[in-house]
Structures are given as structure tokens and as C-alpha cells.
Amino acid sequence: MPDTVTGGPVTATPGPDTDGSSWRDTRPGPGGQVPAAVGGELSGATLLDAYRLGVFCQPTEDPEQIMVNREIYAPDVASGEIPTLPGGADPYGVLWWSPSQRSLLPVDGFRLGRRGAKHHRQNPGVVSTFDTAFDEVVERCREGRETLWLTDPLVSGLRSLHREGAVHSLEIRAGGKLVAGLVGYAFPRVFVVDTAFQCEPHCLKALYLDLALRAREAGIEFIDLQVDAEHKRRLGATLHERDLYLGLLAGDRKAETALNAAPRSLARNLREYSATTEDKS
């Protein structure tokens, strides 16, 4: 989800045609410092079409925040600069963003770091699993958030996509305990991370190491971390212009990519990482 957004035009892209999607007859607006759209239903079809268009949502059920959104963006909605998607309740309860720059982590550019590598070598009994605890990962991602953007309607849409095999969870377990996890979409060239959590130090690095290795095996080139943050840069992520990102999404908008779902040990991941990566961090 966004920390900040910056300006710039959205390159025109083919519109989706998914049945039941609020994007069926609408294309994103300019985006950047203002939302690319407001409103719409948070159905699985709407969410998936948004991600295929390089757009992600920021819903809220807080009446005060909805009022603030209306005060800020109503003039641009009235002028037509920000389109309103059909369906849903108050359109200012769902903002759709398309930042002018995306935080992308090349799967070959992941950096574990010396401290992270040392920590994980001292704790080799960690394993990763794939699509085994989707609901638990989502609920853990909701815990302790001051601003609850993982609203019930959004969670319902994500669950429907998970049942259809379009959205996945990746889990890190230590001693059988879930200590980190993420939820995301696997497209042919990009894995889009929607949300993630960790409850113990360095577990997030183990999570992204595992994702980078699985993604690389599947031919995926980048992990999309959406917006810039210092901890993402430490992993090896850099900012890329939106046109490049949309180019990665171009092609068959109906295609998703299958990742290897077999459990993996952290020890195996560390061996693969050491064999293929010169860690300069």
C-alpha cells in the first residue's frame, strides 16, 4: 500500500474485459498525486483487473477519512480527471492509485545482507510453505495496523481470487510457528506483493529470499513492492518509471504464472543464494 505517491501521466493500456469487474468500461485516470479512480466494488474481478492495469486500491471504512477524501478529490472527480468506478457504496471509501514510479526488486538483485545471512545461518530450522495458510496470513497482516486498509470487502475479494488460484500466500515458519507471510499476484514477468507481515527479526528477509528464488525459477523478473521505503531499498529494490512497469505487465492480461508450491528449507535457500549471488551489502 502507498506511503507516498508522485505525479506523471498513465500510459494508455488496453482495458480489461473481465465479467463483473468495475473496470469493465473504465480506464485509469492520470494517477500520480491524485487517485487513478475512486469507488467501485472490491470484487475479485475488479481487483485482478486493477493489478493488470498497474493500479492498486486503498479502501477505508473510517467516516472521517472518507470525508477527507471527498474534500480533497471531489473537484477532480467533478471535472472528470478522476473517474468514478460503478458499484460499491461511497466512492470516496475506495481510492485506486497508480504511482508514477514503482519500487521493483529484481529477482537476481535481492540482497540478504551480512547480518541477515548470519542470523539465518544460525537458525537453519526455518521452512517456507506456499498457499497453505492464506487466511491466517491475511489476518496477521491486519493486526496492529493503525489504518485498516485491509477492510472486510477487500479481504473477501482477495479470498475469492485465492480460491480461483489467482492470488497466493507465502509463509515462513520457525518451529511450526508462522513468523512471516505475504499475499500477492504472480504475473508472467512480475510478482505483485499486496501485503506482508513479520513477527520476528529478519523473517521478512527470509520471506523475500524465498519469493525471489521461487519467482526466478518461474521466469519472473521482478517483485513489485509498489512504493518506495528504506527497508525495501535495503533488500535491493529501486524505483522505476511507470511506463517500464506497465511494459512488464503488457501482453496477455489474462495470464498468471505458476510458482513451485513445494516446501523449502531456509538452509536450501541460503545455499542457492550463496551459489548464485555475490552479496555486496
Side-chain angles (χ1 to χ4, degrees):
M1 295 303 299
D3 300 313
T4 59
V5 292
T6 54
V10 170
T11 300
T13 54
D17 59 359
T18 303
D19 290 340
S21 170
S22 293
W23 293 97
R24 184 177 179 86
D25 299 312
T26 308
R27 294 188 180 182
Q33 292 182 328
V34 298
V38 298
E41 296 181 347
L42 295 176
S43 65
T46 298
L47 293 172
L48 192 56
D49 274 349
Y51 277 85
R52 288 169 175 150
L53 291 168
V55 179
F56 54 84
C57 69
Q58 185 184 32
T60 180
E61 295 177 332
D62 181 351
E64 291 186 7
Q65 185 59 55
I66 292 174
M67 182 176 64
V68 170
N69 291 345
R70 182 180 292 108
E71 291 175 353
I72 295 174
Y73 302 118
D76 291 321
V77 170
S79 71
E81 181 178 0
I82 300 176
T84 301
L85 300 183
D90 192 321
Y92 295 98
V94 181
L95 306 182
W96 300 88
W97 294 98
S98 179
S100 61
Q101 292 183 312
R102 302 288 285 223
S103 177
L104 298 180
L105 172 61
V107 297
D108 289 325
F110 172 82
R111 295 200 299 262
L112 181 58
R114 293 188 181 92
R115 292 175 64 183
K118 179 180 179 180
H119 172 84
H120 291 307
R121 289 188 181 103
Q122 293 172 345
N123 296 272
V126 175
V127 298
S128 68
T129 54
F130 189 80
D131 274 345
T132 67
F134 182 85
D135 286 343
E136 186 177 0
V137 170
V138 170
E139 290 306 315
R140 297 294 293 275
C141 288
R142 299 177 87 182
E143 291 176 359
R145 302 288 177 104
E146 281 189 27
T147 302
L148 182 62
W149 63 268
L150 274 169
T151 59
D152 289 345
L154 176 55
V155 169
S156 178
L158 291 171
R159 283 176 175 153
S160 70
L161 288 175
H162 178 64
R163 289 192 296 269
E164 297 168 7
V167 172
H168 305 282
S169 64
L170 181 63
E171 306 93 22
I172 297 294
R173 302 178 184 276
K177 175 186 175 183
L178 182 66
V179 294
L182 61 79
V183 169
Y185 305 72
F187 295 124
R189 300 180 67 186
V190 183
F191 188 99
V192 182
V193 176
D194 204 22
T195 184
F197 85 95
Q198 71 169 0
C199 59
E200 294 185 9
H202 299 289
C203 289
L204 206 60
K205 287 192 173 183
L207 184 70
Y208 283 112
L209 169 61
D210 187 85
L211 178 58
L213 294 173
R214 290 179 190 263
R216 183 168 61 189
E217 288 178 0
I220 294 173
E221 301 169 43
F222 291 94
I223 298 169
D224 174 20
L225 303 179
Q226 297 186 346
V227 296
D228 187 37
E230 182 180 352
H231 72 276
K232 299 174 183 179
R233 294 194 295 271
R234 288 198 296 266
L235 295 174
T238 56
L239 288 175
H240 295 266
E241 296 300 317
R242 180 167 44 198
D243 285 351
L244 181 144
Y245 179 71
L246 294 177
L248 294 172
L249 295 176
D252 185 357
R253 294 186 178 275
K254 298 301 179 186
E256 283 86 42
T257 297
L259 274 66
N260 188 332
R264 302 172 63 117
S265 70
L266 177 59
R268 170 188 169 181
N269 285 347
L270 288 172
R271 289 194 299 269
E272 287 190 27
Y273 176 77
S274 299
T276 60
T277 306
E278 181 183 357
D279 193 355
K280 299 179 179 179
S281 54

